[in-house]
Amino acid sequence: MGIGEAAALLGVGMAAGTINVVVGSGTLVTFPTLLAFGYTPVVANVTNTVGLVSGSLSGIHGYRAEIGEFHSAGRSRLRALILSSLLGAITGALLLLVLPAKAFKAIVPALIALALVLIVVQPRLAKRLATRREAGGDGAAGRRGGWGVLAAVFGSGVYGGYFGAAQGVLLMAILGLTYADRLQVLNGVKNILACVVNAVAAVVFIVVGELGIGGEHPSVRWGAALAIAVGALIGGQIGARVGRRLPPKALRGLIIVVGLVAIVSMLV
């Protein structure tokens, strides 16, 4: 890996780390960049997942107060959400390794398109959630959730373990429609659940790919993953501290453009 590629991956890793903490779609920046440097789609996805774990950890540190607030209001609910995300991540990661590479290349453009739709509707969804809180208070939303939300979080974990673009947007929709906590508190919970999914999927990819369990599987490109990880670590802190001040329209616009470029690059 040359200096230019390392610098580019460091930069997009920083951008992705910031975006993941604030919005939750950083993969739409790093994944197309890896494709542009010639990585195959599955290898790019595996490398990207490993590289972005540091950004998720950084975001958790930045939102530790909000996460503590959610945890103190009901300890069992956070444990249940984490377990659902963990099981979903294992399922999604194994699906990536079991299904043929051709299937991933065929499915991912549709997943990116879904992620872009989620990003477009996110502002309207956020407004509805805010209105719901003002009108209904805690009573309508509940504070513990149930099997429905656990199943939805499991599903988002499967999605995140398999690919993961805009997983954070999906999690915010699930949490916001279920819990009455402040949106910043839920954003902190979103960061910890996304971190669980990324970390678990990364472990699966490393163990299965590097050790060759069950035959040959795509392995992590460690130079690229390290460059993304360093950038994401810095970006996670930026997102937690000042990322909320970024113009949301400009941020979403950039992500949409990058996502469309990724779709075209995979279909051509």
Side-chain angles (χ1 to χ4, degrees):
M1 183 174 63
I3 295 177
E5 180 180 340
L9 292 177
L10 180 69
V12 296
M14 188 182 301
T18 303
I19 293 168
N20 276 340
V21 172
V22 179
V23 182
S25 48
T27 290
L28 291 180
V29 177
T30 47
F31 182 73
T33 304
L34 289 167
L35 293 181
F37 280 114
Y39 297 89
T40 64
V42 175
V43 169
N45 187 50
V46 168
T47 301
N48 179 65
T49 299
V50 173
L52 289 180
V53 171
S54 65
S56 299
L57 291 171
S58 186
I60 289 175
H61 180 266
Y63 271 88
R64 59 192 181 280
E66 287 82 358
I67 294 170
E69 181 179 329
F70 185 88
H71 187 257
S72 63
R75 296 182 179 181
S76 62
R77 61 178 183 167
L78 183 57
R79 289 196 295 266
L81 292 172
I82 290 174
L83 178 60
S84 296
S85 293
L86 186 151
L87 295 176
I90 293 173
T91 304
L94 291 177
L95 283 175
L96 177 70
L97 297 174
V98 170
L99 295 177
K102 289 183 179 179
F104 180 81
K105 190 172 182 178
I107 293 170
V108 164
L111 294 180
I112 295 177
L114 172 62
L116 296 181
V117 170
L118 288 172
I119 292 168
V120 170
V121 303
Q122 188 270 340
R124 184 174 298 178
L125 177 61
K127 288 182 180 179
R128 289 189 177 184
L129 294 177
T131 302
R132 184 168 174 268
R133 278 164 171 71
E134 293 175 0
D138 290 358
R143 299 195 65 85
R144 297 188 63 83
W147 289 107
V149 67
L150 296 180
V153 170
F154 172 82
S156 71
V158 174
Y159 172 75
Y162 188 80
F163 183 53
Q167 178 195 183
V169 179
L170 187 59
L171 281 170
M172 281 300 291
I174 295 169
L175 296 172
L177 291 170
T178 306
Y179 299 107
D181 303 79
R182 296 183 298 113
L183 285 178
Q184 286 296 346
V185 170
L186 295 182
N187 200 32
V189 176
K190 175 264 290 182
N191 285 327
I192 197 170
L193 297 182
C195 180
V196 168
V197 172
N198 277 357
V200 170
V203 169
V204 172
F205 296 151
I206 291 170
V207 170
V208 175
E210 299 300 320
L211 299 184
I213 297 175
E216 294 186 3
H217 295 286
S219 59
V220 178
R221 298 299 184 264
W222 286 104
L226 179 60
I228 291 174
V230 172
L233 183 66
I234 299 170
Q237 287 301 301
I238 295 173
R241 294 182 181 181
V242 300
R244 299 169 214 167
R245 302 175 188 174
L246 295 175
K249 289 184 179 180
L251 186 60
R252 276 191 293 271
L254 174 63
I255 294 171
I256 290 169
V257 170
V258 172
L260 290 175
V261 170
I263 292 175
V264 172
S265 68
M266 293 194 70
L267 292 178
V268 172

